[in-house]
């Protein structure tokens, strides 16, 4: 029993550290990729190729002076960054990030908790992140923050619907809510017949995949749906009044959210940790998973470098009038074919 | 705020990322809808007009750079033309052609910065970098001409500060190539971009009547469909010799103003091409002893030139009593210099009609009834430079 607790704790610590490092290096990745897309070098002074930049940023943010405006609601103001940070990291509890393996004669599963309703858990937890944003905006006592928070809550609630419906198709096909089983179902050739393609749900659910991709951008408040922060309008949106480590909590939460939804996307549509040569080298599975997550991240960053921002009302119109009906349509079609 | 208040007053600026400097707009918001918008100016008041009144004409010229610092040559040209009109100086043909070329270069400079910042306001941040990348070739040309990248003071009363650099022609041809390539990039990123069209079409609409009654000028006026361009309507410094089109819009919205400015860059390239192809030979400064500074080479070797140089630098020249107004078409609209001479060596009164200031008056009309995000788009599409608004 004790051994099991110890083992689980080590796994949790390793995953959390990996996620936080991933967040830190996503910021570097974003700055580098966007930099090169914009004919700039990106950060390149701290360490070789700027590899120590996240470390320097972190140190700087920790040592920054804490500025707290006089009219904040103190408790919620302090609690908000934590509330938005924790759910972002919590998602990783159910995501399988590698093929089950045996180490030193012990079975080792590359998932923290193989929950049988993993998909629902992911949804429940990612939805919680909104509270952090709303509370931050409300407790800051600033109009810009408040507007950011209002926009954000409306946006996230609207897109939650599309987000949820976009993967219902996958769940109907798979007939399971466990993320581990979902990955296993994506093994083998496509539909059991087409040998040169893997049985990933991106091929059987192309529309669902596109909808998922669009909705999660809005869900994570990334460009071109970055209404809540829209720096050219709302200065910085809900975290305008935050400084120092409290600000960086929001920052880490944003990137953790990005990695989380990327992981979910990779798991649901791109076959999770699948890839060639897994029988001889099972550890490759983790690498495949990271590569797939990276592809998602790169796509987000690419979008940010390319597109202007939507307007708030257009964003809501897109969510309710385009994405929502399309997602419903997709669900209907999928259900129809499954019954057949 | 009482509980019965239906609207929220939001103070946008003077420190705000997208008010292009220190503009302050007091917004009255009903949710996300703007009920009332009131621009508040004066945060960058530098007293440039007053400063110019206390300086000799030659020494007042550098002040003009500091107004619209994104289009320094246009301002130099406007002031020089006004003084030349007051003093009735004839300008050599070569100088006129160089001035046209540089004025168009400046228009492109101004439009490129506008394009970059406007797109950035709408969230397309890469555009800013692309625009600045191509602008670099222009400021390098400025540097080659006058030794400065922004505050050029290159166009002087009676001519130019010094002769054009040896590789002027090559440089301009290179710029034409660079900007032409750049334009393709911009248009790919923005012109047919669904989001960009959604954000700009039907935003900040001004009808032709409104535009005229607000006395707007430049792309703001032409965007509303009024074909008025001082280069055509009232040609100066030899614009009548050049062949170019004046693009006009139809809807008077931010998208039209965008397409007009992009098209203006194309037309400017065309003018520059003509200017460089037909550039005549000649002196770079008018020969008017006692009023126009003699060329530097002469100052070093000729007694009379040295005396004139000394006299002009120390006590300037005396103007006749009278006043002139010279308006030119800068990138942002009509920039006009009113100079009243009182017979002394300093202007009695200098008044600058700056396009940014007058165009900014349209902001409330463009914003009210629209969404909050449209305010940013409207400010961007006016193309203001705060240095010029608060002279």
């Amino acid at each position: 029993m004790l051994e099991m607790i110890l083992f689980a704790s080590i796994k949790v610590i390793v995953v959390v550290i990996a996620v936080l490092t991933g967040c830190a290096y996503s910021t570097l990745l974003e700055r580098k990729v966007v930099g090169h897309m914009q004919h700039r070098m990106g950060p390149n002074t701290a360490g070789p190729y700027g590899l120590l930049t996240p470390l320097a940023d972190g140190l700087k943010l920790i040592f920054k002076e804490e500025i707290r405006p006089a009219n904040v609601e103190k408790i919620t103001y302090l609690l908000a960054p934590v509330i938005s940070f924790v759910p972002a990291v919590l998602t990783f509890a159910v995501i399988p990030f590698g093929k089950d393996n045996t180490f030193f004669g012990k079975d080792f599963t590359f998932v923290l908790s193989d929950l049988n309703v993993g998909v629902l858990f992911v949804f429940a937890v990612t939805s919680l992140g909104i509270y952090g944003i709303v509370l931050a905006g409300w407790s800051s006592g600033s109009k810009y923050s408040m507007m950011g928070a209002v926009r954000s809550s409306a946006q996230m609630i609207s897109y939650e619907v599309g987000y949820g419906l976009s993967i219902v198709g996958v769940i109907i096909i798979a007939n399971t809510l466990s993320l581990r089983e979902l990955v296993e179902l994506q093994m083998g050739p496509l539909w059991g017949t087409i040998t040169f393609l893997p049985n990933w749900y991106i091929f059987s659910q192309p529309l669902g995949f596109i909808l998922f991709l669009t909705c999660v951008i809005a869900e994570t408040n990334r460009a071109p749906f970055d209404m809540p922060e829209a720096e050219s309008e709302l200065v910085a949106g809900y975290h305008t009044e935050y400084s120092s480590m409290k600000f960086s909590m929001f920052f880490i939460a944003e990137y953790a959210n990005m990695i989380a939804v990327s992981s979910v996307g990779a798991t649901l549509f791109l076959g999770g940790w699948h890839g060639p040569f897994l029988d001889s080298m099972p550890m490759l599975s983790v690498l495949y998973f990271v590569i797939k997550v990276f592809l998602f991240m790169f796509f987000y960053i690419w979008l940010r470098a390319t597109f202007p921002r939507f307007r708030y009302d257009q964003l809501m119109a897109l969510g309710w009038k385009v994405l929502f009906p399309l997602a419903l349509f997709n669900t209907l079609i999928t259900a129809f074919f499954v019954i057949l | 705020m009482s509980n019965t208040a239906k609207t929220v007053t939001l103070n946008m600026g003077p420190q705000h990322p997208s008010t292009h400097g220190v503009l302050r707009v007091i917004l009255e918001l009903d949710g996300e809808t703007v009920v009332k918008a009131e621009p508040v100016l004066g945060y960058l008041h530098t007293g440039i007009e007053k400063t110019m009144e206390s300086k000799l004409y030659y020494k007042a010229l550098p002040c003009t750079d500091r107004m619209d610092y994104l289009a320094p040559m246009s301002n130099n040209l406007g002031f020089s033309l006004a003084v030349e009109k007051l003093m009735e100086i004839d300008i050599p043909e070569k100088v006129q052609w160089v001035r046209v070329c540089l004025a168009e270069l400046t228009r492109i400079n101004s439009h490129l910065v506008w394009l970059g910042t406007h797109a950035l306001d709408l969230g397309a941040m890469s555009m800013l970098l692309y625009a600045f990348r191509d602008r670099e070739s222009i400021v390098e040309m400025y540097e080659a001409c006058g030794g400065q990248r922004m505050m050029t003071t290159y166009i002087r009363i009676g001519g130019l500060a010094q002769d054009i650099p040896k590789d002027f022609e090559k440089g301009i041809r290179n710029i034409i190539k660079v900007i032409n390539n750049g334009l393709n990039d911009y248009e790919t990123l923005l012109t047919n971009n669904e989001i960009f069209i959604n954000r700009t079409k039907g935003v900040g609409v001004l009808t032709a009547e409104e535009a005229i009654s607000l006395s707007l000028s430049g792309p703001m006026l032409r965007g509303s469909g009024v074909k008025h361009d001082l280069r055509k309507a009232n040609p100066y410094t030899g614009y009548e010799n050049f062949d170019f089109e004046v693009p006009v819009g139809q809807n008077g919205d931010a998208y039209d103003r965008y397409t007009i400015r992009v098209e203006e860059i194309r037309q400017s390239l065309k003018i520059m091409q003509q200017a460089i192809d037909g550039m005549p030979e000649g002196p770079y400064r008018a020969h008017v002893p006692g009023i126009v500074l003699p060329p530097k080479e002469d100052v070093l070797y000729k007694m009379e030139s040295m005396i004139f140089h000394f006299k002009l630098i120390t006590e300037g020249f005396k103007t006749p009593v009278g006043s002139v107004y010279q308006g030119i078409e800068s990138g942002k609209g009509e920039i006009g210099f009113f100079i009243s001479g009182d017979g002394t060596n300093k202007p009695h009164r200098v008044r600058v009609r700056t396009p940014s200031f007058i165009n900014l008056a349209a902001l409330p009309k463009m914003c009210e009834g629209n969404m909050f995000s449209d305010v940013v788009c409207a400010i961007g599409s006016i193309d203001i430079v705060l240095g010029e608004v608060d002279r």
Side-chain angles (χ1 to χ4, degrees):
Chain A
M1 184 65 193
L2 191 72
E3 191 192 13
M4 204 186 88
I5 293 175
L6 191 75
F7 199 59
S9 311
I10 291 172
K11 256 199 325 194
V12 168
I13 290 169
V14 168
V15 168
V16 168
I17 288 175
V19 168
L20 290 184
T21 319
C23 292
Y25 277 89
S26 313
T27 62
L28 181 68
L29 176 77
E30 167 140 30
R31 291 166 69 183
K32 273 278 181 196
V33 170
V34 169
H36 282 280
M37 283 176 177
Q38 296 175 341
H39 298 262
R40 296 186 284 120
M41 294 298 293
N44 63 351
T45 23
Y49 305 105
L51 281 175
L52 296 179
T53 313
L55 202 69
D57 280 346
L59 274 177
K60 188 200 80 169
L61 281 164
I62 290 170
F63 287 117
K64 275 260 175 183
E65 187 189 351
E66 297 245 354
I67 301 165
R68 199 171 64 219
N71 60 341
V72 297
E73 298 282 333
K74 202 173 161 193
I75 294 170
T76 28
Y77 178 79
L78 292 177
L79 215 55
V82 183
I83 295 178
S84 75
F85 172 72
V86 171
V89 182
L90 216 54
T91 318
F92 294 96
V94 292
I95 290 180
F97 44 89
K99 190 173 160 58
D100 294 356
N101 203 350
T102 326
F103 280 121
F104 312 114
K106 273 189 189 306
D107 282 339
F108 188 86
T109 47
F110 275 87
V111 54
L112 290 184
S113 155
D114 179 22
L115 211 58
N116 59 351
V117 286
V119 179
L120 283 185
F121 177 81
V122 167
F123 270 86
V125 163
T126 44
S127 309
L128 282 178
I130 177 78
Y131 285 103
I133 292 175
V134 172
L135 287 177
W138 174 74
S139 63
S140 291
S142 152
K143 287 168 190 166
Y144 286 113
S145 303
M146 190 66 213
M147 283 189 77
V150 170
R151 282 182 175 193
S152 169
S153 46
Q155 170 182 336
M156 285 175 83
I157 291 165
S158 310
Y159 277 79
E160 197 97 330
V161 181
Y163 177 33
L165 279 173
S166 69
I167 60 169
V168 167
V170 170
I171 294 166
I172 292 175
I173 295 179
N175 204 12
T176 174
L177 285 171
S178 158
L179 286 164
R180 203 162 77 101
E181 281 174 36
L182 272 166
V183 173
E184 271 156 21
L185 281 168
Q186 293 183 61
M187 282 199 252
L190 187 57
W191 301 317
T193 47
I194 303 167
T195 46
F196 60 91
L197 283 176
N199 190 22
W200 294 354
Y201 287 133
I202 182 175
F203 299 114
S204 28
Q205 284 283 321
L207 182 62
F209 179 68
I210 292 167
L211 290 171
F212 173 83
L213 215 51
T214 321
C215 289
V216 292
I217 301 168
E219 185 72 16
T220 52
N221 296 330
R222 290 280 305 175
F225 303 104
D226 53 347
M227 279 307 105
E229 19 201 317
E231 76 275 355
S232 57
E233 296 146 30
L234 297 180
V235 189
Y238 59 88
H239 56 59
T240 309
E241 304 294 344
Y242 281 88
S243 58
S244 180
M245 205 54 205
K246 293 201 287 293
F247 163 75
S248 62
M249 293 278 259
F250 280 119
F251 209 66
I252 296 171
E254 181 184 330
Y255 281 91
N257 262 323
M258 271 170 75
I259 300 179
V261 293
S262 301
S263 309
V264 173
T267 309
L268 290 180
F269 290 100
L270 296 186
W273 41 259
H274 280 300
F277 313 118
L278 278 186
D279 293 334
S280 50
M281 273 186 289
M283 280 309 282
L284 271 179
S285 61
V286 179
L287 183 69
Y288 290 142
F289 184 73
V290 171
I291 289 173
K292 285 168 188 172
V293 170
F294 170 83
L295 285 178
F296 272 93
M297 299 288 284
F298 184 83
F299 181 71
Y300 287 158
I301 296 166
W302 189 10
L303 281 186
R304 178 165 173 238
T306 313
F307 282 125
R309 185 179 302 116
F310 271 94
R311 201 171 64 199
Y312 179 60
D313 57 324
Q314 291 163 353
L315 180 89
M316 298 306 266
L318 181 76
W320 286 108
K321 292 183 187 161
V322 181
L323 297 179
F324 180 60
L326 274 178
L328 272 182
F329 173 73
N330 185 46
T331 312
L332 201 72
I333 292 286
T334 314
F336 183 69
F337 274 100
V338 166
I339 289 169
L340 279 185
Chain B
M1 194 172 59
S2 69
N3 286 332
T4 51
K6 287 210 173 80
T7 56
V8 177
T9 310
L10 188 72
N11 195 20
M12 191 174 170
Q15 284 93 25
H16 190 278
S18 55
T19 52
H20 293 237
V22 286
L23 171 69
R24 176 179 167 210
V25 188
I26 301 173
L27 293 170
E28 219 174 293
L29 296 174
D30 179 10
E32 288 262 337
T33 314
V34 179
V35 180
K36 197 163 160 265
E38 188 190 341
V40 182
L41 316 176
Y43 290 94
L44 199 67
H45 184 70
T46 40
I48 284 179
E49 286 174 3
K50 191 70 193 161
T51 312
M52 283 161 87
E53 284 163 21
S54 65
K55 286 185 181 298
L56 304 177
Y57 285 91
Y58 277 109
K59 296 177 183 175
L61 185 70
C63 292
T64 59
D65 288 318
R66 272 90 185 153
M67 285 190 300
D68 183 356
Y69 41 80
L70 299 176
M73 297 258 194
S74 298
N75 302 3
N76 293 166
L77 179 63
F79 184 73
S80 303
L81 283 175
V83 177
E84 283 154 14
K85 204 171 176 183
L86 185 67
M87 302 304 296
E88 290 167 357
I89 303 171
D90 281 332
I91 300 300
E93 206 182 342
K94 178 189 171 184
V95 174
Q96 294 200 355
W97 284 65
V98 173
R99 282 178 173 185
V100 167
C101 194
L102 291 175
E104 293 309 316
L105 198 61
T106 306
R107 186 184 317 280
I108 297 173
N109 183 0
S110 163
H111 280 356
L112 280 183
V113 176
W114 167 80
L115 187 61
T117 50
H118 184 45
L120 181 70
D121 287 346
L122 299 178
M125 62 168 179
S126 295
M127 264 310 301
L128 179 79
L129 278 298
Y130 291 146
F132 269 75
R133 171 195 69 187
D134 297 336
R135 175 181 177 260
E136 193 64 20
S137 62
I138 296 175
V139 287
E140 270 166 16
M141 191 72 222
Y142 282 178
E143 196 181 358
C145 287
Q148 276 269 32
R149 285 160 61 88
M150 276 178 86
M151 310 298 169
T152 52
T153 323
Y154 181 57
I155 296 174
R156 299 275 174 93
I157 298 160
L160 306 167
Q162 61 197 37
D163 205 353
I164 50 172
K166 277 197 197 79
D167 53 356
F168 184 75
E169 188 186 331
K170 207 175 118 202
I172 294 287
R173 285 193 202 283
N174 179 43
I175 289 173
I176 294 176
K177 211 167 74 198
V178 167
I179 305 288
N180 251 330
N181 287 340
L183 274 175
N184 295 335
D185 281 359
Y186 318 148
E187 294 232 73
T188 318
L189 271 172
L190 295 179
T191 306
N192 294 319
N193 186 322
E194 193 74 23
I195 305 176
F196 182 75
I197 294 174
N198 277 340
R199 283 299 304 274
T200 50
K201 269 234 162 101
V203 172
V205 179
L206 290 169
T207 61
E209 291 78 42
E210 281 170 345
I212 292 169
S213 69
L214 284 161
S215 109
L216 304 183
S217 54
M220 286 288 284
L221 179 67
R222 292 192 285 274
S224 301
V226 183
K227 196 166 186 170
H228 176 77
D229 188 321
L230 280 179
R231 292 174 293 173
K232 288 274 190 204
N234 190 8
Y236 50 90
T237 198
Y239 265 110
E240 60 275 11
N241 303 326
F242 293 90
D243 168 40
F244 62 97
E245 301 289 322
V246 178
V248 285
Q250 288 147 5
N251 308 319
D253 56 11
Y255 187 73
D256 273 12
R257 293 191 273 274
Y258 158 77
T259 45
I260 282 177
R261 287 193 174 106
V262 171
E263 185 54 33
E264 278 190 10
I265 296 178
R266 290 232 161 75
Q267 295 300 327
S268 293
L269 292 176
K270 202 170 139 192
I271 298 174
M272 277 161 62
Q273 186 75 48
Q274 293 168 38
I276 217 66
D277 286 342
M279 179 81 69
E281 288 295 312
Y284 66 91
R285 222 177 253 172
H287 182 69
V288 190
I291 295 175
V292 177
L293 279 171
K296 191 70 182 169
E297 311 82 79
D298 290 357
V299 176
L300 295 175
Y301 296 107
K302 289 185 184 162
M303 191 65 192
E304 297 81 3
S305 296
M306 200 200 79
I307 293 170
F308 276 131
H309 185 265
F310 180 74
K311 294 271 281 180
L312 274 172
I313 295 296
T314 50
E315 50 185 51
F317 54 82
K318 287 199 170 66
T319 55
V321 178
S323 46
V324 287
Y325 174 82
Q326 173 69 49
I328 69 163
E329 186 77 28
S330 87
K332 297 175 175 65
E334 176 179 350
I335 180 162
F337 286 83
F338 171 82
I339 299 174
S340 167
D342 57 356
T344 64
N345 54 3
K346 288 170 188 165
H348 173 63
R349 176 79 176 100
V350 179
R351 159 80 192 158
V352 193
R353 181 230 188 266
T354 50
S356 296
F357 176 64
I358 297 193
N359 289 354
L360 189 59
L363 184 65
K365 202 152 249 172
M366 292 163 76
C367 295
E368 282 164 18
N370 278 340
M371 305 289 286
F372 174 50
S373 305
D374 295 337
V375 176
V376 173
C377 178
I379 296 174
S381 83
I382 297 176
D383 187 12
I384 49 168
V385 163
L386 263 294
E388 201 182 47
V389 174
D390 303 329
R391 293 149 329 270

